[in-house]
Amino acid sequence: MRTGLALLLTLLIPAGALGAQQTTYHGRAGTLAAAPPRLLDMPVTVDGVLDEPVWQRAAILTGFSQYRPVDGRPAEDSTEVLVWYAPDAIHFGIRAFEPHGQVRATLADRDKIDTDDNVQILLDTFDDRRRAYVFSVNPLGVQADGIRTEGSGGAAGGPGAGGRFENVDMNPDFTFESHGRLTPWGYEVEIRIPFKSIRFPGADPQRWSINVIRKTQHSAYEDTWTPAVRANASFLAQSGTLEGLSGLRRGLVLSVNPFATGRLAGAPDSLGDWTYDATPEAGVNVSWGITTNLTLDGTANPDFSQVEADVAQITVNERFALFFPEKRPFFLEGIELFNTPNSLIYTRRIREPLGGVKLTGKLAGTSVALLSAVDARGASATGDRHPVINALRVRRDVGAQSTVGLTYTDRIEGSDYNRLASADVRLVFARLYFFEIQGAASRTREAGVTATAPLWEVTVDRTGRSWGFNYRIRGIHEDFRADAGFVPRSGIVEPFIANRLSAYGRPGAFLETWTGFFALTGVWNYREFFDGGSILESDVGHTSFFTVRGGWGATVRPNWQTVRFDPAFYGEYFVDTGADTVPLGLPDRLTDLWSLGLSVSTPQFPTIAASVGASLGTVPAFFEPAPARTASYNTTVTWRPTEKVRVEARYVYSRLNRERDGTRLSTAHIPRLKFEYQLSRAVFVRFIGQYTAQERDALRDPATDQPILIAENGGTFRAATPGVQNDVRMDWLFSFRPTPGTVAYAGYGTSLTEDDAFTFRDLRRVSDGFFLKLSYLFQL
């Protein structure tokens, strides 16, 4: 097959484009140390056509292997990556051959190419095999980028990874050029990455780690340049290298990003008359590359507008805070360096900062990340003080893959504070295993009372091809607080045991892979665990993942659990017995709780893709402590009728019925529609409409069926009355973003409500707002 493709390429590409001066580095042959040429004064235009003479001298990376769904096999589709560099930038040319099916390519917004064919270039400029820049392009040259991080550390701002960009935080944006085009034999893309856009050591010459991933939608296959295998605790450790990089000139790296925003928010007053509040703002971000590997960022009156709204989540039966990824521009520079196990740094805890400064980089095998910010008064507990938040993360590389890390955070409000210190060690050994241990302590002073409490975790993991495991135990004292992090639940000890089995079909088999996870989780009250107390919660589950040839996927999740309701959650629940108001009595342990989840996903067809999931069973209703029958469904359909139009329809349904009498406890219907029209790579318009219909019955004592009363300050009680929400939210956005940092956004959003769900007869507007943002990035 490769011979035929080479002949076809020779006929279609101008003569000389495959000149004899090129050196080929074949992944499957094990030639993984590539030496790209340094070329001077070679004119090149980044247009997606590799016809300039310079490409005749570039190094060629080829010989790709399949990584997913089955590793260790030659790639079905041939790929060539050409590499050379100039003093100020590194250049890549990609030739992706596609004889089997139609190329999937759309004119998408940045970072929205996960459903297209795409190629990812992973550059680890420090050659530490722990983090790598990800520069991805689809066949038309549309960009996606981010940072891929190895390890189990929690992200400071959340991974935010879209689609199948595994372990990649897609929120950071880097400035690079790319153009692509479809060809009779597949597609061709050209990429230029300026050295100003990335960090690297100051040594000369240098060696960078590199790997290339190609994802093909018609087969759902993922290929890599190096013959990476699943039986490895690290993907980046299996990278190849770019050798002998010398004379790299980054120059002065100084950017100034002034911006102005305007909001006009309206809402009815107590008399029903509409009033509008205008809030114009202006500010600036400044970034200075002190050295090639150390960056200082500052901001004054920063803009933290959320252009991409968080997707609504069902919260009816949710006990703990929900996690939302970081999307705000100032925090995204070097955010991967703040990663720490158990998410002890979570930048969205800084709500409305007035200003901030940040230092990030890597020096001699030690990464350093320091952040300090002053928040607005509205973010304080009293509403009249400016919280000061500091976060420091230091991580030292040890050996080939292991690390030692230290973390410190504090949040100070006047005489009150929360301070936290943590140490963690991650040891990777025998290629398949890693051992991780973390110990942390917080000290909190509030209203004159000081408390000190620990957090600890130990993890052992084996990442084998056919068999693997993950064993973990974590303890969080009830007084432990991470006010600058994300620790949604405390006061527990939680052991976790998971074993994995995987089986692989033969080439051409209908069932390509099966992976089964067998997991057991326990939750104890922290103090009771050490006193030999009984378990609070246990969960025994199995998950089977099936991959069927052609890109189909299916998941089956049977689950069984037991729950003992924690009295600490129900201290404000009371019941009127007629003679007295007494605390709510909690039921005995619930043991007959089971559920079954099913989901199916289609391949990415040329114009449409879909997924559907359902779950049935009996679960604990935590807001009314009793068992409940559950039924939930979700489906998503993505339609791409043209390369410029994307329509996504999503529907989520959830229902809880009391097991004791079958009455309805809660329901939720959330349909969501997103329409995007991409006029060009830099310009798009978008509409998002979402209807949230949630209803919860008045809470009743499971034993007596009497109303539950909620204790309030002053010794009074209020009934836990029914809750109804029938809200419509619609948002329109015009976006112009030619490069990261230079943007123009104009948007309008409105919220409406009605008494009866989905009647659309008495919709009442409850708020609306206009939004404008202008920003320009000056780079020196």
Side-chain angles (χ1 to χ4, degrees), residues 347-660:
T347 54
R348 283 190 67 154
R349 294 294 188 204
I350 306 171
R351 290 168 46 188
E352 301 177 63
L354 303 177
V357 64
K358 182 170 56 174
L359 179 68
T360 54
K362 188 164 187 175
L363 302 170
T366 301
S367 61
V368 179
L370 174 64
L371 169 67
S372 184
V374 178
D375 221 339
R377 287 191 177 94
S380 68
T382 61
D384 60 358
R385 294 180 294 196
H386 289 290
V388 178
I389 302 95
N390 300 291
L392 172 65
R393 173 67 171 163
V394 178
R395 196 174 83 158
R396 175 70 180 178
D397 296 344
V398 179
Q401 284 294 298
S402 303
T403 59
V404 176
L406 298 173
T407 303
Y408 173 81
T409 69
D410 62 39
R411 181 184 176 92
I412 304 169
E413 296 185 23
S415 60
D416 294 343
Y417 60 80
N418 170 254
R419 296 184 177 125
L420 181 151
S422 169
D424 57 89
V425 177
R426 177 181 170 88
L427 301 176
V428 179
F429 56 96
R431 193 184 67 176
L432 300 180
Y433 299 87
F434 76 78
F435 170 80
E436 190 169 79
I437 184 170
Q438 180 184 35
S442 72
R443 185 172 179 85
T444 305
R445 178 182 176 86
E446 194 170 61
V449 178
T450 303
T452 303
L455 174 150
W456 47 269
E457 182 177 65
V458 179
T459 302
V460 180
D461 184 277
R462 182 185 193 272
T463 307
R465 188 174 192 268
S466 298
W467 173 62
F469 62 74
N470 184 277
Y471 304 150
R472 179 179 71 241
I473 183 169
R474 174 173 56 189
I476 308 175
H477 192 277
E478 61 266 28
D479 293 330
F480 182 85
R481 282 177 48 179
D483 289 359
F486 185 83
V487 180
R489 187 178 187 181
S490 60
I492 60 169
V493 173
E494 184 180 35
F496 174 77
I497 298 173
N499 291 280
R500 173 184 57 81
L501 296 176
S502 298
Y504 304 89
R506 295 180 178 180
F510 173 76
L511 180 62
E512 294 183 320
T513 64
W514 168 80
T515 300
F517 288 91
F518 305 84
L520 172 63
T521 305
V523 179
W524 273 263
N525 176 278
Y526 191 91
R527 295 184 184 275
E528 292 180 0
F529 178 82
F530 295 100
D531 294 336
S534 62
I535 192 170
L536 279 176
E537 304 171 19
S538 64
D539 191 298
V540 180
H542 168 74
T543 304
S544 280
F545 297 95
F546 302 91
T547 301
V548 176
R549 186 165 182 82
W552 291 84
T555 305
V556 181
R557 292 188 178 94
N559 182 267
W560 176 80
Q561 65 181 133
T562 69
V563 171
R564 177 168 62 90
F565 292 103
D566 190 346
F569 285 100
Y570 304 98
E572 299 177 347
Y573 277 37
F574 288 79
V575 177
D576 187 354
T577 64
D580 197 5
T581 301
V582 298
L584 175 70
L586 297 178
D588 295 332
R589 178 182 301 278
L590 306 181
T591 58
D592 190 20
L593 302 175
W594 63 271
S595 64
L596 177 64
L598 304 170
S599 65
V600 176
S601 61
T602 73
Q604 180 61 56
F605 294 114
T607 61
I608 197 167
S611 64
V612 60
S615 179
L616 300 170
T618 305
V619 298
F622 290 104
F623 54 93
E624 182 182 281
R629 299 284 185 182
T630 183
S632 62
Y633 312 94
N634 67 85
T635 184
T636 301
V637 178
T638 303
W639 180 43
R640 304 186 303 180
T642 72
E643 70 172 24
K644 294 186 176 184
V645 175
R646 291 191 178 203
V647 181
E648 181 185 272
R650 174 183 297 179
Y651 174 68
V652 177
Y653 169 79
S654 177
R655 183 188 74 228
L656 290 175
N657 286 356
R658 295 181 177 91
E659 188 182 49
R660 61 184 183 272

Side-chain angles (χ1 to χ4, degrees), residues 708-730:
I708 290 178
L709 305 177
I710 308 297
E712 297 185 317
N713 294 332
T716 61
F717 299 90
R718 62 175 176 84
T721 55
V724 177
Q725 177 187 4
N726 297 315
D727 296 338
V728 180
R729 178 68 188 181
M730 293 183 288

Side-chain angles (χ1 to χ4, degrees), residues 109 112 305-309 674-679 683-688 730-737 743-749 769-773:
D109 189 24
K112 301 294 178 63
S305 57
Q306 290 292 95
V307 174
E308 181 69 46
K674 179 164 68 172
F675 173 86
E676 291 182 321
Y677 183 74
Q678 197 81 31
L679 285 80
V683 180
F684 78 86
V685 292
R686 183 182 68 203
F687 167 78
I688 298 178
M730 293 183 288
D731 291 280
W732 290 262
L733 177 70
F734 169 84
S735 170
F736 172 65
R737 181 169 55 166
V743 298
Y745 296 132
Y748 170 75
F770 297 88
F771 172 77
L772 178 66
K773 174 181 177 179

Side-chain angles (χ1 to χ4, degrees), residues 207-224:
R207 183 176 71 176
W208 295 357
S209 298
I210 184 174
N211 207 342
V212 183
I213 299 173
R214 177 182 173 186
K215 295 188 177 181
T216 305
Q217 294 296 341
H218 77 82
S219 63
Y221 285 178
E222 179 179 319
D223 304 327
T224 58

Side-chain angles (χ1 to χ4, degrees), residues 53 66 80 83 126 130 245 254 313 384 443 520 535 632 699 733:
Q66 187 181 131
E80 292 181 348
V83 191
F126 289 90
R130 293 165 176 86
L245 303 176
L254 178 63
Q313 303 184 50
D384 60 358
R443 185 172 179 85
L520 172 63
I535 192 170
S632 62
L699 303 185
L733 177 70

